[in-house]
Structure formats: C-alpha cells, structure tokens
C-alpha cells in the first residue's frame, strides 16, 4: 500500500496521538505549505482544501468521532447501555468500529474507569443470499482484530417465522389502471407456515421487484430492520450506523426523489429515536469518503468491498447510483457540497405530524397522512427510459379477493408509506413482503398513547384485523 | 530495461477498483517513458489495464470523481495532482470510494 520506508512510522501514531512524528520521508520538489495543525510537518493529505500530516489527520478523525458521539448522546436521553456498531465491512463502518473501539479503550483508561457504554458489539447482516461472492469470514475478522464480538444475522432472517414479526404482506394484485384504481393496492397479511424456505422467499422477493432502484430500497429497508432487531436482541440501547457525509448527502437527494422526504429526518438524521428501545446515531456523518479511505490506510484498518445491485453498472442503473455520481461530481467541483447538504439536513426537524404517524407496515418509517393525496400531486420519474414498464394487471374487477385459507385482507394503503406503495404497485403479484412493524401494532393497545385520535383509530382497526387473523390461525 | 529512458511504477488498485482491471489485478507494474506524470500513468492504465468499462475509471485524461490517487502513501493533491512527476519505483494507489464500486 505505502512504500516500505513510511510503514514503520505509521503504527504508533493512532495509539499515542501525541507521539512525535517523523517528517514525510520522500523528497518532493514542491511542497505547498505545511500541515494546518502542527505547522511543522509536510502534509500528506488535503481535506476540503486543508492540509494535514498523517499524525494530525488521524488525531483529527478521532476527535471528530468523539465529538459527534457526545453530541448525539447529549441530544438523546439514553441510560447506560450496550452499544451496537452496524458493520457492513465497508470502509466507513470498519473505520467506525475502529474509532468506537478506540473510544471505549480511552473511556476505560479514564478516571472513572467505566465507560458510558457497558459493552461494544458489532452487528452484521450477512447478504450472501443475494451476493454470494462476499466472504463473511473477512468481516468477522474485522471485529475480531479489534477484540469486539460480532453478531451476525442473515438477510433472509427477515422472513424467519419465529422472529419478532411473524406476519408478512402478500401482494395479491397490483392494479395500475389509470385513475382511481391506481392507488388501490391489494394485499393480504400472511402467516407463513408453508414449506418455502426464507432464503427462497427472499430471493423471490428481490426478483419480483421492478427496478434496481426498488431492489436497493428494499435492501436498505430490510437491513435497517434486521439491525434494529439484532440490537434489541443483544440488549443494545444504541445502534451506530456508519453513513458517511458523502453517503448521507447521496441518501438525502435520492430519498427525497423517491418520495421519502417525510421520513428523511429519521433515515439520515444524526440521531433518531423513532424505533422502540433502540436509538440510532450516525457518528460518521461529518466524514467524507476520502477521509475514511485515508484513515483506514493510515491505521491499517481492513475493510471489504460491499457489493450492491449496481456495482460496476453505468451511472444510470438506479436512482441511488445516479445520485451518487451526481453528488460526488458536485463535491469534486465545489468541495463543500456534501457538507452543505448535510448541514442543511441537520436543520430539518421531523414534523410533529411525522412523530405521531403510524409506522409503515413495510419499512417501519412514519407514514404521511394521506399519502395518496400526495401521490396524485407527484410523479417520480424513473432514471431509465429502457426500464420495463410494470405489468398492468387487468382482472376487470377492482374487487379485493375474498379471504381464503385464514388469510386476512388488510387495507394497507393507509399504513404503507408513499415510497413503499410505489415499490408494491410495481412489484409482481404474489410477492411476499416482510411485515416489518406488525409487532408494533400488536403491542400498542392501550390508551394513554400520545398519538393523534385518527391514527389511534386506524391503528386499532389494523390491530383488530391482525388479532382476528392470529386467532383464526390457532384454531 | 534501459534505465535512462524508462521508469517502473508500482500501481495498486483497491476499494473495488481492481474489479475493473484485467484479471481483476490488484497490483501491476507499469513501465513509462521518462519523464512521466500521473496523467501519463492514468492514460496508460486506462488504455492497457482497464478491462472494458473505461468510463468508470477515467474521463478527460484524469480519474473519475470518487477515485483517490495516492502517491507513495500521500494524497496526490498535496503535490501537483495530474501533473505530479513520477520517479522510478514510485507506488501509486488508486482507491475507489464509490458505494457502487
Ligand atoms: Zn501535523
Ligand atoms: Zn414504507
């Protein structure tokens, strides 16, 4: 990676940030200035037009992470708890795990000799069902090398019947005829006791989705849900997500363009208390990908290349991919684009309305009241002209299929967010979606909830439907 | 190898960059006529090492945004970026920071 003369001096820098550091060892003819921090060492990297030497750069990263973590802690009230670090194995989450391990060591070395966090656990979602090339052993090694326990859940576990959410949504029919029918999504709540393996179910879910954009979004949804469950199971009250500033800026633009603006503060915010029992922090939000790459190189932090549906694909393969190249291109020409987008985001407070909303049955994010009215005002254009048009099912009738085999039909248009409605309407009929938040409906019975009446009423209705279904099933 | 006229540069690829290269090579040695700049190396890699999707590596004779160039362990931007003059046995690392690899 680096040439041999420099490697020896790197090791000590991160562990003892105050150690004196030898100047850069190669002689280059032109050195434009000195490190912005120590002012005596030739710089090795430039970040947003500031020059840093290796040691000062690594130290700046450590401080930046600690500051972000403390800020999030201040903004939320969390008792002393275990903390889970979401680890995809990519550069950002690997750097985050390294920084968190470092944070914990520093805490334990401090005067209190007790950390704010009882324990640090890495949580990994194994995606090999969709991407068989990834070597998961490499990812657990990242945790092991930092002396951190790694809990692993498989992507298909979202369909595991003995888990928190035993119910799924089965898309019975998607009617895309223009006009009033357009918004009608027929779905069943399904309890799976058939023999289809969750692996098969997951694969068929992804093959029934209409576009790479939908697949990317569904993958994000499932990974988030699984990480939340993994954190709950490990009794971690805090979950760290490794979204970098570059990633957050990309997500903001692409989520907004997919109609997820309503839940944006929860999906990319520095901290989010939306999920029950687990608070989500994003302490890497002030790092751009360039900083993460240099941090990993200079601290010898290993990471893997996490594949996506559009790896190696042209820019226009999906909204996410298109937005990424757009944001990175902008940031290249105007070096503060990413931080500007992120800072703007920071100022967005979730609307009260959002806080009182029902969680979407599919993705678990808040559903905007009257998403259908929204839908009629808005069209989201697809990134590709060549993308296949969703198949139009013209069964002639708009009637919802009658209940059969103990299935319960749910009027899901009110409890599925705008963006998931889009995914559902263009997915193939017969697709089974994970019923992300059914557990939420089953739990929240009592009054005393601060939720708005109308929401309560809808929630109660749905809960009853689910209950009836469960009773039927046990007969 | 005639030492006066040619230099050898170690070239490494990571962060998914290696997947664009012939045989998915994570490192190669490039021989360039002297004097050679990073721009010359980028053109050499684009024309001789990148398998097919050349537009994912290079545009306008430089690397695409999102690809970092690291010369002997330091950011090329602390030097002269594309115009940095390479010396014999320099190591140049290309890292992709794109999520989509
Ligand atoms: Zn310095
Ligand atoms: Zn949703």
């Amino acid at each position: 990676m680096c040439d041999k003369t420099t490697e020896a001096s790197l090791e000590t820098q991160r562990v003892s940030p105050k150690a004196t550091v030898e100047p850069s060892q190669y002689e280059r003819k032109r050195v434009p200035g000195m490190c912005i921090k120590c002012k005596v060492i030739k710089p090795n990297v430039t970040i947003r037009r500031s020059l840093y030497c290796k040691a000062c750069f690594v130290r700046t990263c450590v401080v930046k992470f600690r500051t972000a973590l403390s800020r999030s802690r201040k903004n939320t009230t969390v008792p002393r708890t275990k903390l889970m670090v979401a680890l995809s194995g990519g550069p950002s989450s690997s750097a985050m795990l390294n920084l968190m391990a470092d944070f914990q060591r520093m805490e334990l070395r401090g005067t209190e000799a007790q950390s704010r966090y009882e324990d640090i656990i890495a949580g990994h979602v194994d995606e090999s069902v969709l991407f068989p090339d990834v070597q998961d052993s490499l990812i657990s090694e990242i945790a092991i090398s930092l002396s951190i326990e790694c809990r692993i859940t498989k992507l298909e576990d979202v369909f595991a019947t003995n888990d928190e959410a035993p119910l799924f949504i089965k898309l019975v029919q998607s009617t895309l005829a223009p006009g009033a029918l357009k918004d009608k999504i027929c779905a069943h709540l399904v309890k799976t006791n058939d023999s289809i393996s969750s692996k098969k179910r997951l694969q068929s879910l992804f093959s029934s989705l209409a576009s790479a954009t939908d697949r990317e979004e569904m993958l994000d949804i499932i990974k988030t849900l699984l990480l939340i469950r993994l954190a709950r199971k490990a009794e971690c009250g805090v979950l760290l997500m490794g979204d970098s500033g570059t990633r957050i800026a990309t997500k903001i633009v692409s989520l907004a363009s997919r109609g997820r603006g309503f839940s944006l503060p929860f999906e990319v915010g520095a901290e989010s208390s939306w999920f029950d029992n687990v608070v989500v922090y994003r302490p890497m939000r002030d790092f751009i990908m360039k900083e993460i790459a240099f941090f990993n190189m200079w601290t010898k932090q290993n990471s893997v290349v996490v594949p996506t549906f559009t790896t190696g694909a042209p820019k226009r393969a999906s909204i996410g991919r298109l937005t990424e190249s757009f944001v990175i291109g902008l940031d290249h020409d105007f070096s503060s684009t990413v931080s500007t987008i992120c800072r703007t985001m920071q100022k967005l407070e979730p609307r009260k309305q959002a806080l009182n909303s029902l969680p979407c049955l599919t993705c678990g994010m808040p559903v905007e009241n009257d998403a259908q009215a929204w839908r009629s005002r808005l069209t989201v254009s697809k990134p590709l002209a060549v993308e296949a048009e969703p198949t139009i099912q013209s069964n002639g009738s708009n009637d919802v299929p009658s209940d059969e085999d103990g299935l319960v039909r749910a009027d899901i248009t009110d409890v599925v967010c705008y963006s998931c409605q889009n995914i559902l309407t263009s997915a193939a009929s017969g697709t089974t979606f994970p019923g992300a938040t059914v557990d939420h409906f089953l739990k929240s019975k009592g009054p005393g909830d601060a939720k708005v009446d109308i929401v309560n009423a809808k929630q109660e209705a749905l809960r009853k439907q689910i209950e009836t279904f469960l009773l039927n099933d046990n007969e | 190898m005639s030492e006066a006229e040619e230099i050898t540069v170690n070239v490494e690829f990571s962060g998914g960059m290696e997947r664009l290269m012939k045989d998915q090579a994570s490192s190669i040695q490039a021989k360039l006529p002297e004097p050679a700049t990073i721009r010359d190396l980028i053109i050499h890699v684009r024309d001789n090492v990148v398998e097919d999707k050349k537009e994912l590596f290079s545009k306008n004779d430089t690397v695409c945004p999102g690809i970092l160039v690291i010369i002997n362990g330091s950011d090329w931007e602390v030097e002269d970026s594309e115009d940095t003059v390479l010396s014999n046995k320099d190591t140049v690392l290309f890292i992709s920071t794109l999520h989509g690899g």
Side-chain angles (χ1 to χ4, degrees), chain A residues 32 40 81 116 126 146 155 213 217 225 237 248 268 344 373 391 396 405 413 422 424 428 432 470:
Chain A
V40 294
T81 173
R116 270 158 265 203
D126 175 344
L146 294 162
L155 208 54
T213 301
E217 190 170 345
L225 294 171
I248 285 174
V268 294
T344 310
T391 327
D405 305 331
T413 42
N422 275 335
L424 260 62
T432 307
L470 287 175

Side-chain angles (χ1 to χ4, degrees), chain A residues 440-460:
Chain A
H440 175 94
F441 291 99
L442 287 172
K443 261 190 296 176
S444 53
K445 275 186 175 184
D449 247 47
K451 307 226 167 187
V452 195
D453 280 353
I454 187 162
V455 171
N456 261 336
K458 280 179 189 167
Q459 185 159 345
E460 186 57 22

Side-chain angles (χ1 to χ4, degrees), chain A residues 262 353 357-358 367-372 374 414 454-455 458:
Chain A
F262 192 63
Q353 203 190 334
S357 297
L358 284 174
V367 178
E368 182 169 22
N369 276 338
D370 213 4
Q372 300 197 51
W374 235 74
D414 281 341
I454 187 162
V455 171
K458 280 179 189 167

Side-chain angles (χ1 to χ4, degrees), chain A residues 212-324:
Chain A
T213 301
D214 286 357
R215 283 191 283 278
E216 276 174 357
E217 190 170 345
M218 184 53 64
L219 184 61
D220 272 355
I221 288 170
I222 294 178
K223 280 198 282 192
T224 306
L225 294 171
L226 287 171
L227 286 166
I228 294 286
R229 281 190 207 169
L230 203 58
R232 282 187 193 137
K233 226 182 264 175
E235 296 175 322
C236 295
V238 175
L239 173 65
L240 301 191
M241 300 283 248
D243 301 284
S244 65
T246 314
R247 179 91 187 112
I248 285 174
T250 303
K251 261 173 131 180
I252 288 170
V253 178
S254 75
L255 287 173
S257 74
R258 289 187 225 156
R260 296 190 78 91
F262 192 63
S263 58
L264 209 56
F266 304 105
E267 299 196 51
V268 294
E271 55 272 330
S272 162
S273 310
W274 170 254
F275 293 101
D276 293 343
N277 308 326
V278 180
V279 175
V280 175
Y281 296 162
R282 289 186 175 78
M284 301 300 283
R285 54 180 299 117
D286 295 331
F287 291 79
I288 55 172
M289 285 310 291
K290 180 176 181 180
E291 290 172 284
I292 291 166
F294 276 92
F295 177 81
N296 285 347
M297 180 170 82
W298 286 333
T299 59
K300 297 192 170 68
Q301 177 58 55
N302 285 328
S303 65
V304 300
V305 179
V306 180
T308 67
F309 293 112
T310 54
T311 298
K315 281 185 218 164
R316 294 162 67 81
S318 71
I319 290 183
R321 184 91 173 87
L322 186 61
T323 317
E324 181 189 49

Side-chain angles (χ1 to χ4, degrees), chain A residues 26 28 44 46 290 312 324, chain B residues 53 72 74-75 79 90 99:
Chain A
Y26 7 82
R28 287 276 164 196
N44 303 99
T46 153
K290 180 176 181 180
E324 181 189 49
Chain B
K53 297 168 187 157
N72 298 332
S74 290
D75 185 4
E79 307 198 13
D90 272 350
H99 190 248

